[in-house]
Amino acid sequence: MRTGAPDLDDVEELIAADSDGLLHAVAMAGAQVRSVAEAVREGVTEPLADLRPRSVVIVCPSAGPAAAAVAVVSASVATGIDVPIVCTPGLPGWIGPLDVVVVAGVDGGDMVLADAAARALRRRAEVVVAAPIEGPLRDALGGNGIDLSPRIDVDPRFRFAGFVAALLATLTALRAVRFTGNPPDLGDLAGALDTEAMAGHPSHDSFHNQAKSLAARLDENAVLWSGDTPAASALAARAAAVVFSLTGTPGAALDLPDLLRGWHRRWSGATTAVDSIFHDPELDGPIGEVPPRVLMVSTPAREWQTRRRIAAISTAETVVADVDLSSTSPVPDGGGPGWGGIEDLTDVPADLTSMLVLMVRIEMAAVYLRLIGAGQ
């Protein structure tokens, strides 16, 4: 235990140490999603209903929560929607009236976003705003655009869930475009995130609190993150970035094939942390370098298969969030012009919801690490 640092199960000290309100900020993920759902109920996205766009172009910074959200959503639903999804750090020159442009970011003063919004409007593209409408961006919009800007003030590092909700709301609003399967209902998604936030409350001890348990494991050794699908890999990269941003603890994210190849070359036969307990330097010689912990992002449907794929990695474990989707809204009767049968698509509601719940758990674990002084 670090001198002067609170214990993970000392509730009063944890709350006292959280002078920046980070635990509260993490717990606002469900509220962010719910605010987007409310905007949809108000009809904000109705101008998209009859459009058959040539493309949906998402302009966002190359790193950060918006870029991570785009990567996860695109990997999850791109194969099921009949419109190309393009993610770019700046507005392409070919944008025109047939395109939908989404500007997403945490800073309304980002001149790249402001320029993208202004040029897209001049070219008569439909513009969706998933960034704070303030400063240069507000001036560029001039009161135009579909407003899915954040309605809740949250630390920008925890806006991932809000961006995912805004992107889902935009894509599902294109009801004239064929969308195979049914994405998560935003109300159900918000409820699942709220449930995870309550489960990770500091009043719950480490034995029953999966966020605290994950924090303890992250604090033991260097960590490599990976995922078993493109969407999971994008989430793994976001996890490594969040942990570093909040705690300064370095980590890395690798695609599963690269991880397996690199592990075989570097760590095959390496001494594990458990082996080192029984190591006698006088009899066994100098102890070898302890390999990093490997955390593999997965979903309940793929966890068994993924565990088999990483069985050769001695320090690997899967990180999965089980969620109850019994209340997930079904596909509307008759399908409608924008919906196909759910049997045509991998379980997108379960996968996306599970990954967003897991992201809340990881963010909360990173906050706990910060509060107990990780990296100091």
Side-chain angles (χ1 to χ4, degrees), residues 70-221:
V70 172
V72 170
V73 172
S74 297
S76 299
V77 306
T79 58
I81 186 169
D82 283 358
V83 61
I85 301 173
V86 180
C87 180
T88 173
L91 191 75
W94 47 263
I95 291 296
L98 299 178
D99 302 300
V100 172
V101 175
V102 182
V103 289
V106 298
D107 182 11
D110 187 333
M111 293 304 298
V112 175
L113 296 184
D115 173 72
R119 290 197 290 132
L121 288 171
R122 285 200 302 270
R123 297 178 185 186
R124 298 170 55 199
E126 197 71 55
V127 176
V128 179
V129 186
I133 301 179
E134 57 191 26
L137 182 56
R138 178 185 58 209
D139 296 340
L141 291 168
N144 298 302
I146 295 172
D147 185 3
L148 289 180
S149 61
R151 298 185 174 189
I152 297 174
D153 186 20
V154 177
D155 187 310
R157 290 172 291 188
F158 304 118
R159 287 214 172 273
F160 174 79
F163 284 124
V164 171
L167 294 172
L168 288 175
T170 300
L171 295 174
T172 56
L174 298 169
R175 292 195 290 271
V177 175
R178 188 174 71 90
F179 199 136
T180 308
N182 74 329
D185 175 81
L186 292 182
D188 293 339
L189 177 57
L193 297 179
D194 285 342
T195 298
E196 179 63 27
M198 289 187 289
H201 192 276
S203 62
H204 299 153
D205 61 54
S206 299
F207 185 76
H208 299 97
N209 188 324
Q210 295 197 58
K212 286 184 178 180
S213 175
L214 178 58
R217 301 200 301 281
L218 290 174
D219 196 28
E220 291 173 354
N221 201 2

Side-chain angles (χ1 to χ4, degrees), residues 240-251 366 369-370 374-376:
V242 165
V243 172
F244 180 76
S245 173
L246 288 169
T247 71
T249 302
L369 274 179
R370 180 188 178 103
Q376 297 179 3

